[in-house]
Amino acid sequence: MIDLFKNAARRGLFLFDPETAHGMSIAALKSGLVPACRVPADPRLRQTVAGLDFANPLGMAAGFDKNAEVPEALLKIGFGFTEIGTVTPKPQSGNPRPRIFRLVEDEGVINRLGFNNEGHDAAFARLAPLKGNGIIGVNIGANKDSDDRIDDYVKGIRRFYSVARYFTANISSPNTPGLRDLQARESLAALLSAVLAARDEEAAKSGKRIPVFLKIAPDLTEEGMDDIAAEALSHALDGLIVSNTTLARDGLKDQRQAKEAGGLSGKPLFEKSTAVVAKIRKRVGPAMPIIGVGGISSAETALEKIKAGADLVQLYSCMVYEGPGLANTIVRGLSTLLDREKVSSIRELRDTRTDYWAARNV
Ligand SMILES: Cc1cc2nc3c(=O)[nH]c(=O)nc-3n(C[C@H](O)[C@H](O)[C@H](O)COP(=O)(O)O)c2cc1C
């Protein structure tokens, strides 16, 4: 059923511009037109990461469900967790359209949305009534016209503290001018101090400690990675999400679309983002959780991220090409791969190819 959906829906959706097609996917998920497809529980895929119990390691990445319209529907089609946002305190419309481009031959996507979203209050209103069974993370950012960007992140922590199972501070979108500057060492130290202090205050009030992850770009120098790892460790951050979209355009077939400004994701991002997972793993050591994201299109690529050093993984762009059955296919495929690898937990495979990926110059 879901495969039928894949072919028909892909052919149909590709008649529309990518943003309209995306709106139609959200509407289909909301209406229940996409059949629920729970994956049989496989205890080998279960893991506790940052104190949270994940039924499987595959999550929906931020940006698909910016306004928290379909988190439960995404959990029903096989994802082990999902991340809403990026949300900013005030609603904002983002950049002018068109601002999402398909690179069909490359199975890539370029976007320059610029944090279009309905703002904190709208997303909170949708999350508040949910029962809280599945793991729904909240990805927070800053308004484009904010005069205190760090305070926008602090506002995100406070606004969503009662509904988020984890937070992601997204400082790596290339589409908000100057945002990636927050990755520079001094700014990052100030951001992490403020965000984690807000979290600690909320934890003391509520009696529950919500983990905070930091989402970074793949376009970092070796020194930039040293700085991020050092700050993450010294602030006792709960984990890193590696990575956001890239500004690079290497090796693309679709040269016409490649000229569009914005962040590139999907298959062309796989190698680069996987190498950054490994390089960061080497720097932070074995204890810090890493969520690997970028170009995952199959169970094999999901497992390769884990072998490079990720505890959990996320995807977005390849679902545009493969349809909503992809989560289910990957999670079932992971079980088959574990049969072949003869391990009793997916965790045993983490870091088995970190050296290989860390040495890659991509
Ligand atoms: C259309 C689009 C919108 C995105 N919006 C966000 C966002 O709002 N916040 C964020 O942290 N990442 C956003 N991302 C980045 C994804 O979460 C992910 O890090 C990146 O696309 C790499 O994964 P993928 O190759 O599986 O898509 C967006 C990606 C795409 C394609």
Side-chain angles (χ1 to χ4, degrees), residues 61-63 66 86 111 139 170 215 243-244 265-266 293-295 315-317:
K66 283 184 186 269
T86 297
N111 93 81
N139 180 306
N170 175 20
K215 184 164 177 180
S243 73
N244 214 310
S265 55
V293 49
L315 64 79
Y316 176 172
S317 300

Side-chain angles (χ1 to χ4, degrees), residues 66-149:
K66 283 184 186 269
N67 296 303
E69 293 173 275
V70 290
E72 291 188 315
L74 289 167
L75 296 174
K76 280 190 193 141
I77 61 170
F79 287 103
F81 63 110
T82 184
E83 190 169 311
I84 72 108
T86 297
V87 282
T88 56
K90 288 184 293 166
Q92 60 180 30
S93 54
N95 291 320
R97 288 190 185 200
R99 50 194 185 173
I100 309 181
F101 306 88
R102 293 185 198 103
L103 287 78
V104 177
E105 276 174 274
D106 301 290
E107 296 192 36
V109 174
I110 290 177
N111 93 81
R112 52 168 179 268
L113 288 167
F115 287 171
N116 57 314
N117 77 107
E118 295 171 12
H120 282 179
D121 291 348
F124 180 82
R126 294 193 182 104
L127 293 176
L130 304 185
K131 301 274 182 300
N133 295 328
I135 298 181
I136 302 172
V138 175
N139 180 306
I140 51 178
N143 279 114
K144 185 180 176 189
D145 63 359
S146 168
D147 43 26
D148 186 346
R149 286 195 166 157

